[in-house]
Amino acid sequence: LIGKNIAVSAAALIPNDTLNGLVFGFTSAAMVIGFESVAEDIRKHKPDTAVTDPMALVLTALKAPNAKRIAVITLYIGEVNV
């Protein structure tokens, strides 16, 4: 259900104006739906907006050439984080 509402929600964000960037903070939804699908839905109404989500940021950080210690803080309960 949430996947169907992403484009509608994006349209409601500052209507008739642009956004430079948007972080889709619903990490678990982005993982289930897929980051590219989320970004595509947002860009239907905000075509020039840079889109990311927490997991995409973590994956980018893990690819950094000198990355040795990366921490991810979530609000999930311990059983979810394992």
Side-chain angles (χ1 to χ4, degrees):
L1 179 62
I2 191 167
K4 295 179 181 182
N5 293 317
I6 293 172
V8 173
S9 296
L13 292 171
I14 311 174
N16 305 316
D17 204 351
T18 59
L19 295 173
N20 295 97
L22 186 141
V23 177
F24 183 74
F26 196 171
T27 308
S28 55
M31 291 176 67
V32 171
I33 298 166
F35 171 70
E36 291 302 325
S37 293
V38 169
E40 182 179 304
D41 283 347
I42 291 168
R43 289 188 186 118
K44 286 177 184 174
H45 294 282
K46 300 292 182 186
D48 298 321
T49 301
V51 179
T52 193
D53 71 77
M55 198 63 204
L57 294 171
V58 169
L59 294 173
T60 299
L62 290 171
K63 294 176 187 174
N66 295 321
K68 292 185 175 52
R69 298 178 61 167
I70 297 172
V72 179
I73 298 171
T74 70
L75 300 175
Y76 298 113
I77 59 173
E79 291 82 6
V80 174
N81 287 323
V82 175

